[in-house]
Amino acid sequence: MDLHDEIEHSLGAEPPLVETDLVGRGRRALRWRRLAAGGSVVAVTAVALVAAAIATHRPAAQVAPAPAAAGPTVGTTNEPSFPPAPGTPVIRDPRMPSDAPVGLEPDGLHLAPGIEVVELWDDPWQVRPDAWSVALGYDDPEGTLTWWVGFEDARFGSQSASVPAANAGDIGFRAWAVEQKTGLYDGPGAGARPDPTVGLPGATELQLVRFDGTTERLTPLDGVTVLQQRAHPDLPDAWATADDRSAAAEVRFEGERYYVLARTTPGDVAPQYVAVPAAPGGTLDDFVELVRSARR
């Protein structure tokens, strides 16, 4: 045996043939990785599209509502006009505290729960459009009747006054509300005359008479008969002061009796006249006393 045969015999049998195409194997592996990566992108994109479709088409009840706005945004059509138009509805507001159950806000009259409105008078002080006033008679949960009056003004702020009706004396609700204007409101129109018909049942500003020149004597208009009259009757300053011209009269018009009041203040453009249907059996003195008590 020669040396070559000895070496071959010492190494033993040759192992099986294996693939030696390493370059080909590498290219195939790279191709598989690219396919896997591409498949992942497609899968992620598909999941995103499905999620978007679910979010778009899920029932409305499952969609979380957008947060409510804290209030009207300035400059939008949702901003409430101020002052509110006459007849603005009452707004029940659970935020109103029990010790201050009434409040004026730009969107209307806010009342705490449990407040029962007995009487509501919009703008008793006649301060629109510069401001807004409201007078309210209400029962609280304990059954106490309270009178409240206040105003809201974007420039001058707001103030209010209230009193248990039982503590207001003989004055009527409307007369009380008018009187609170002095001392509470000093904005535009603060010195304007209050509604002359306040506290007088059935009163209108129907003119049946007129002043005779610069005197306090009243003369009838066409179709009216003056039955009796009083020059400058003894009435509170809420109706006429010592510097004003004033008068009261009993008249007949179209078969009906009326009591009339007239007043004019220095600087007034025109006098004010009030006509009240006369009660059966009543007298002019009775009417003057009614005006006195209503204006106190």
Side-chain angles (χ1 to χ4, degrees):
M1 182 178 294
D2 60 16
L3 180 61
H4 179 270
D5 292 335
E6 289 289 338
I7 294 174
E8 291 258 343
H9 181 71
S10 65
L11 292 176
E14 184 179 346
L17 182 65
V18 295
E19 181 181 4
T20 58
D21 186 11
L22 297 178
V23 174
R25 291 171 59 192
R27 286 177 176 171
R28 286 194 295 272
L30 179 59
R31 186 162 55 250
W32 277 109
R33 284 197 297 269
R34 287 176 177 170
L35 288 173
S40 299
V41 172
V42 172
V44 170
T45 303
V47 170
L49 290 175
V50 171
I54 292 174
T56 303
H57 296 96
R58 63 181 169 175
Q62 298 177 9
V63 179
T73 302
V74 175
T76 70
T77 56
N78 292 327
E79 182 180 2
S81 61
F82 184 84
T88 297
V90 171
I91 299 171
R92 297 290 177 177
D93 189 345
R95 301 172 302 166
M96 302 298 293
S98 59
D99 58 345
V102 182
L104 298 184
E105 296 187 17
D107 61 341
L109 173 65
H110 287 237
L111 296 181
I115 297 300
E116 181 180 350
V117 176
V118 176
E119 186 164 2
L120 178 61
W121 187 13
D122 187 273
D123 202 21
W125 298 345
Q126 301 179 14
V127 292
R128 274 191 176 94
D130 301 287
W132 178 43
S133 63
V134 171
L136 181 70
Y138 68 86
D139 282 330
D140 62 19
E142 285 71 39
T144 301
L145 176 61
T146 299
W147 292 346
W148 183 98
V149 67
F151 77 95
E152 174 76 17
D153 189 296
R155 293 165 296 171
F156 296 95
S158 62
Q159 291 194 63
S160 64
S162 63
V163 64
N167 297 342
D170 296 332
I171 189 171
F173 164 70
R174 293 196 163 215
W176 174 86
V178 168
E179 288 187 358
Q180 306 314 304
K181 181 178 181 182
T182 303
L184 282 182
Y185 180 75
D186 59 0
R193 288 280 192 171
D195 182 354
T197 66
V198 169
L200 305 178
T204 68
E205 293 187 76
L206 173 67
Q207 184 179 351
L208 299 175
V209 297
R210 65 173 178 265
F211 280 111
D212 184 4
T214 60
T215 71
E216 292 183 311
R217 178 176 178 78
L218 299 175
T219 59
L221 299 185
D222 291 345
V224 178
T225 301
V226 175
L227 303 178
Q228 56 178 320
Q229 61 179 292
R230 306 273 192 278
H232 207 93
D234 181 19
L235 296 176
D237 289 349
W239 170 254
T241 68
D243 296 328
D244 299 336
R245 283 191 298 149
S246 63
E250 178 185 359
V251 305
R252 187 179 300 280
F253 175 61
E254 295 183 345
E256 302 292 334
R257 284 192 311 129
Y258 291 86
Y259 300 124
V260 298
L261 288 174
R263 70 180 179 190
T264 182
T265 298
D268 278 355
V269 176
Q272 286 185 297
Y273 300 97
V274 176
V276 182
T283 66
L284 180 58
D285 290 335
D286 293 335
F287 174 68
V288 169
E289 180 58 33
L290 171 65
V291 176
R292 186 180 294 115
S293 62
R295 298 286 174 168
R296 226 173 0 196

